[in-house]
Amino acid sequence: MTTRATTAGRQFVEKASVCTLDCPDTCSLTVRLVEGRIDSVRGSHANPFTDGVLCAKVTRDTAAFVHGDHRLLHPLRRVGPKGAGRFERVSWDQALDEVHGRVGAVIERFGPQAVMPLNYAGPHGMIAGDSMSMRFFHKLGASQLHRRALCGGVRSEAWTGTYGPAPGIAPEFAEHARLNIVWGNNATVTNLHLVRRIARAKRHGAKLVVVDPLRTKIAEQADLHLALNPATDVLLAWAVAVELERMGAIDRAFVDANVEGYEPFMARAREWPAEKAAGPCGLAALDIRRFAAWIAEAEPVVLSIGNGLERTRNGGSGIRAAIALPALAGKMGRKGDAVGGIILGAGYSFAKTNAKLQRPDLLAPGTRTLNINDVGRHLAEDDIAPPLRALFIYNHNPIVVHPDQNRIKRGLARDELFTVGIDVAMTESMAHCDVILPAATQFEYPDLYPAYGHHWLQRAEAVLAPLGESLPNTEIFRRLAARFGFSEPCFKASDDELMDDAIDPADPRLGGRRPHAIPTDKAVAMNAPDGRPLVLFDNVRPATPSGKIELESETLAKRWGERARLAGWRSPDGAPGGPWPLSLISPASDRQVSSTFGNLRREKAPMKLIMHARDAAARDLRQGQRVRVWNDRGAVVLALDIGDAVRPGVVASEKGAWLATSETGQTISALVSADLKADLCEGACFNDTRVEVAAA
C-alpha cells in the first residue's frame, strides 16, 4: 500500500511495512519517505493487535539505522589485523571469488564440516532469516548450528514438552482476564502491546501479579510483585501448586481428564511448601499463599511467560512448573465468554512449511550439529574434529550477544579462521571478518512475518531500493550458490517463490491467495477453522503424544536425558562470603533491541549497574560511582545506580551494549559462562551469573 501527499511544502510517500526486530509484537508500520529516504516511522492499524502503537526505539532510530554513516554499502576485504576494522573496498565479483577460493581450500583440507553458519535472529522475516541461506549450507555440507540454545529454545522445549507444538491463547485475551500473571517478561520494554491489554484489564478491576527479580516498569504497576531470586522459579511454582492442593483448589475433574503425570509432579512439589520455598526464593511465605489464592479465586486467569526465567540452570523446570499452574487450577479454555490460559507457542498458529523452505533433504546424513553457545570454545580451543576453519556470520553480532565474550573474541581473532560477514553495519563481529558482504535492511526487500507473540501473519514489500551495493540476504546466497556451482532450481528461486515455500498455500486462512500475494495493508488472522481465535481446550487440543498436558514428559526425557522427565531443581552456585556473592541478571533495554541500534546511541558514561542499597553499603559504594563488576571470565566498568529495584544479593545491567560503552572493551556478556547450561535445550544461562563488585 502506497499513499502520496504533501505537507509543509514537502512531498512524501507513505508505504506499509512491518517491524522485523526481535520482539514478540511484530508491529505493522507506516514508513514515510521524503526524496527517497526514510523520514519517519509510525505504527499502523494493519495489525489489529499492535493497532497503530509503536515503541520509542523503532520510532526514534529507524531512519538513522537505515541511512546513517555506519551502513555497509560495498563489499570489503580486510587489510588490517582482525578486529581493527581496517578494510578496502572490492567488487562483488572479487569478494565472491575470495569467499569461494578460501572456503574451497578449507573444504579440500578439512572437509565441509569445517565450515559453519553463525547466525541467529537479526531480521525475523522467514525469507531473510533461514531460507536461501540454509539451502546453501545444506548443499555445502557445512556443520549445522543449534541456534535456539542461545535464546528461546528452553522456553520452546518446555512448552512443547508439556503441551506439544500447539498454540497457546492469543495475547488479546489478557484484556479480559480477572488475573494476569506476567512471569519473567520485561513486557513494557519487549511486549508493549500485551501491557496495553493488561492495563485495560486493570481499569476494569483485574489483578496483576509480576514474577521477576527486577522491579520492571510493569512490576511497578503490579498488585503483587514477587521479586524472587534468579533460578528459583521452579520452587515458587511448586510452592503455589502445593498451596492450591492445600486449599482444595486443584480442579481434579480437569486434571483427571487432561493431565498426565500429576502425581509425580506433585510428589516433587510437596517437598517445597511455601514455608520452605520462601527462603531460597527470597520471598515471604504469605505472598506465595496470596499468589495461590488469587489463582484459585480468579476467572479467567491469563499467564504470560517471558524469556527471562529460561536463562538459568533451572530455566526449563521453572517454565514447566509455571505453565502447569493454570492446568492444575482448571483455568484453561473457554467458559462462557471468559477465556483463560497461557500466552505461549504463538508460532504454532502458522502453517509453516520449513522443510520446503530450507531443504534439509540436501544435507548429507550424519552431518554434525554444534551448540551455538559452544562456538567460542570450539574456535578458541580447536576441541572438535574437524576444527572450524570457515564461518559465515549473518543476522547476528556474536561478540556482543554470546556468553563468554572474551573467549569468542579470541576465537574470531585467530588468523587460521576465514570469516565471511554479512551485515548492515560495522559491528564488533564484522570487524573480525576477512570479507564483508553488505546486506540490505528489512525495508529494502519483501518478506513474510509470522510472529512469535501473536496470531497474525503479515507481509511487507520493499519501501526503498537497497542502498549502495547492498543486497538482500536471499540474493547474497543466490550469488554464493552460483559461485560454488550449485545449479539446482531451488537456488534460483525468487523471493516470491520462497514465500510460497515458507507457508502452506493451501491453508484456508489465506483465502485462496498465495503467501507472496497476501495484502500488505491487512494482517491475516490465524484463527481456528470455525473462524474463532485459537484457544487450548476450546478449539485446540494439546499436541503431545498422549493428547494431554504432560507434566511428566517421555519426549523431553528422550531428547535431553532422563533428568528432564520431570521438572527438577539444581541449587545455584555462589553464596554470601564466597568469591562471587552477587547474582547478575541482564534485562532488556528500552534503548535497543538486543544489540540492534546499540551503535546509534553510544554514551560517554558507562552503562549502569543496579544494586540494592544494603549491598552498596557493605562495599562502601556511592550512587553514580564507577564500579568494577568482575568474575574469573572478565571485568566491566559500570556506573552504579543504588536503589531497591533489585533485592539484596542481586545486581542488574541491561543486555545488548556494544563494546564502545565499556572502558575495558568488555560488556556483561563477558561475565556469563558459556559452559553452564540450562536443564533443557542446553540453553544459555545469562541470568545465572555470579560476580563481585568494587570501586573501579
Side-chain angles (χ1 to χ4, degrees), residues 493-512:
S494 68
D495 286 357
D496 283 356
E497 290 171 323
L498 289 172
M499 284 190 240
D500 291 347
D501 286 342
I503 298 288
D504 182 4
D507 188 329
R509 296 172 296 185
L510 301 187

Side-chain angles (χ1 to χ4, degrees), residues 234-235 238 268 314 316-318 320 563 566-570 679:
V234 63
L235 301 184
W238 277 342
R268 291 198 172 182
N314 301 315
S317 294
R320 292 170 73 184
R563 189 179 61 186
L566 288 163
W569 159 252
R570 289 184 291 171
D679 49 357

Side-chain angles (χ1 to χ4, degrees), residues 184 186 211-216 225-233 307-309 311-312 582-588 608-611 629 638 645-647 649-656 668-669 671-672 685-691 693:
N186 189 1
V211 183
D212 200 303
L214 177 68
R215 193 177 69 235
T216 59
H225 174 209
L226 297 170
L228 78 176
N229 284 316
T232 63
D233 305 85
N307 281 339
L309 72 162
R311 296 170 178 157
T312 72
L582 299 172
S583 182
L584 171 68
I585 61 173
S586 48
K608 292 182 179 180
L609 179 77
I610 302 172
M611 175 181 274
V629 186
L638 303 172
V646 291
R647 56 176 298 102
V650 178
V651 292
S653 187
E654 292 177 346
K655 67 174 184 175
I668 57 171
S669 292
L671 310 178
V672 180
C685 293
F686 291 97
N687 290 336
D688 207 338
T689 299
R690 308 296 304 192
V691 298
V693 178

Side-chain angles (χ1 to χ4, degrees), residues 523-653:
V524 179
M526 295 290 102
N527 288 335
D530 61 8
R532 295 187 301 159
L534 295 164
V535 174
L536 266 172
F537 296 101
D538 177 25
N539 49 21
V540 181
R541 291 288 304 178
T544 57
S546 67
K548 298 182 178 182
I549 301 167
E550 296 187 354
L551 304 186
E552 182 177 24
S553 174
E554 178 71 18
T555 298
L556 294 179
K558 288 180 178 178
R559 193 172 295 164
W560 305 110
E562 184 59 29
R563 189 179 61 186
R565 183 176 296 277
L566 288 163
W569 159 252
R570 289 184 291 171
S571 178
D573 299 327
W580 318 117
L582 299 172
S583 182
L584 171 68
I585 61 173
S586 48
S589 169
D590 62 359
R591 290 171 293 181
Q592 62 240 9
V593 183
S594 294
S595 68
T596 303
F597 302 145
N599 62 322
L600 300 179
R601 305 185 69 80
R602 292 176 179 170
E603 299 179 354
K604 293 181 180 179
M607 298 288 285
K608 292 182 179 180
L609 179 77
I610 302 172
M611 175 181 274
H612 193 274
R614 188 186 307 171
D615 291 327
R619 292 162 175 79
D620 195 25
L621 300 175
R622 303 179 306 279
Q623 174 69 21
Q625 183 177 2
R626 291 167 59 256
V627 295
R628 179 173 178 260
V629 186
W630 86 98
N631 58 23
D632 51 359
R633 283 176 290 277
V636 184
V637 173
L638 303 172
L640 188 62
D641 186 6
I642 300 173
D644 59 358
V646 291
R647 56 176 298 102
V650 178
V651 292
S653 187

Side-chain angles (χ1 to χ4, degrees), residues 26 63 148 211 230 242 251 261 372 415 475 520-521 526 542 572 625 641:
T26 315
R148 298 299 304 282
V211 183
V242 172
D251 187 334
I372 193 170
D415 288 329
E475 179 59 21
T520 60
D521 60 348
M526 295 290 102
Q625 183 177 2
D641 186 6

Side-chain angles (χ1 to χ4, degrees), residues 87-173:
F87 293 87
E88 65 177 0
R89 179 175 170 180
V90 296
S91 69
W92 267 102
D93 285 341
Q94 289 173 308
L96 294 173
D97 284 346
E98 180 150 354
V99 172
H100 177 255
R102 297 284 297 273
V103 172
V106 167
I107 293 173
E108 184 176 356
R109 180 177 178 186
F110 296 101
Q113 293 188 85
V115 184
M116 191 184 74
L118 182 53
N119 65 305
Y120 190 62
H124 267 248
M126 294 189 76
I127 310 308
D130 291 317
S131 63
M132 189 61 71
S133 59
M134 294 312 300
R135 295 181 181 191
F136 173 78
F137 290 115
H138 286 150
K139 175 68 175 178
L140 191 70
S143 290
Q144 300 297 286
L145 188 64
H146 176 38
R147 298 168 182 81
R148 298 299 304 282
L150 185 64
C151 177
V154 175
R155 187 172 70 159
S156 178
E157 288 294 297
W159 174 255
T160 58
T162 308
Y163 289 89
I169 63 171
E172 287 91 334
F173 287 113

